[in-house]
């Protein structure tokens, strides 16, 4: 009878190596030094082959680091008003994602060949919205479902950050929430208004 393989131990050697490599990436970034596999390996105290075996490429390593950094620090605030909580959460989320570090982390996640990393980030965001909704439901309120909030509030923020020059400030984020609740709608970015059918080939 074939002996079953032992499962990796939480906090074992593999976990310690990952922690050391992630810490090395953070330290090199903070020092403004170039990120290379040999440089990261030297700082982490491992061989470059260890990194290549585990991550394959520098791009995939940086994607994994970004996913860890994008994990929320805690639960959304609970003021007793889910609308206010959703607005406050979205304003903070938009501000963080529109920052230089936020944009860099998104680029790192999306540039790798690991689509599961983008899915993990979506799960992080969805869980934050779930918490806000669950609190509202427990009070007998009827907030929109998480999928609707993701599609109509979160997705426009990310699209605006990635594809327009205006970013997504607090007023824009608040306008999205108000639009979702039927209280108005945010204005499209100026670059959209400048486009004509002829410029799009129509």
């Amino acid at each position: 009878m074939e002996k079953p393989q032992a499962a990796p131990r939480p906090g074992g050697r593999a976990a310690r190596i990952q922690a050391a490599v992630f810490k090395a990436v953070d330290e090199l970034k903070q020092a403004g030094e170039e990120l290379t596999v040999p440089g990261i390996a030297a700082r982490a105290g491992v061989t470059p082959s260890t990194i290549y075996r585990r991550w394959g490429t520098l791009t995939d390593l940086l994607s994994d680091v970004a996913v860890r950094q994008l994990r929320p620090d805690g639960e959304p605030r609970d003021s007793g008003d889910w609308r206010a909580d959703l607005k406050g959460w979205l304003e903070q989320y938009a501000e963080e994602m529109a920052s230089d570090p936020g944009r860099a982390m998104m680029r790192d996640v999306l540039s790798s060949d690991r689509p599961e990393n983008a899915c993990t980030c979506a799960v992080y965001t969805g869980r934050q919205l779930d918490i806000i909704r669950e609190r509202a439901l427990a009070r007998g309120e009827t907030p929109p479902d998480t999928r609707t909030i993701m599609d109509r509030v979160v997705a426009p923020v990310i699209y605006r950050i990635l594809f327009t020059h205006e970013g997504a400030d607090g007023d824009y984020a608040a306008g999205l929430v108000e639009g979702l609740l039927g209280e108005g709608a945010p204005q499209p970015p100026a670059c959209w208004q400048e486009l004509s059918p002829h410029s799009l080939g129509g």
Side-chain angles (χ1 to χ4, degrees):
M1 185 174 179
E2 187 175 338
K3 184 178 180 181
Q5 286 188 327
R9 291 182 296 109
R13 176 168 53 86
R16 290 194 295 272
I17 289 174
Q18 175 176 289
V21 171
F22 282 7
K23 180 181 179 183
V25 172
D26 290 342
E27 291 175 350
L28 290 170
K29 280 185 175 182
Q30 292 173 7
E33 297 184 27
E34 182 182 4
L35 294 177
T36 65
V37 170
I40 295 169
R43 177 66 67 98
V46 301
T47 63
S49 61
T50 298
I51 293 178
Y52 285 122
R53 277 196 304 271
R54 186 176 180 89
W55 284 280
T57 66
L58 175 61
T59 299
D60 286 348
L61 166 58
L62 296 181
S63 179
D64 280 4
V65 172
V67 169
R68 184 206 59 175
Q69 293 171 333
L70 286 167
R71 184 169 185 169
D73 295 328
E75 294 186 354
R77 66 186 294 268
D78 183 5
S79 67
D81 180 348
W82 73 267
R83 293 171 179 81
D85 291 348
L86 180 58
K87 284 184 181 181
W89 175 86
L90 184 65
E91 289 174 11
Q92 180 178 354
Y93 179 82
E95 179 181 315
E96 291 174 353
M97 292 300 98
S99 67
D100 288 342
R103 291 171 184 268
M105 286 185 285
M106 285 194 289
R107 286 195 298 268
D108 285 342
V109 169
L110 297 175
S111 63
S112 78
D113 293 326
R114 297 190 175 193
E116 66 272 16
N117 281 350
C119 291
T120 298
C121 293
V123 170
Y124 290 159
T125 302
R127 182 53 189 149
Q128 293 278 290
L129 299 175
D130 284 342
I131 293 171
I132 294 174
R133 289 190 69 254
E134 288 163 3
R135 292 169 179 164
L137 292 170
R139 294 191 291 265
E141 298 168 320
T142 55
D145 61 82
T146 295
R147 178 66 177 269
T148 297
I149 299 173
M150 290 279 280
D151 288 346
R152 295 185 55 187
V153 174
V154 178
V157 165
I158 297 302
Y159 187 91
R160 189 171 175 126
I161 290 171
L162 292 176
F163 295 108
T164 79
H165 55 77
E166 295 182 81
D169 58 17
D171 290 339
Y172 177 76
L176 287 172
V177 175
E178 291 167 2
L180 174 66
L181 302 178
E183 301 169 5
Q187 292 296 314
C191 62
W192 295 4
Q193 300 171 24
E194 295 166 1
L195 294 176
S196 68
H198 297 293
S199 68
L200 297 174

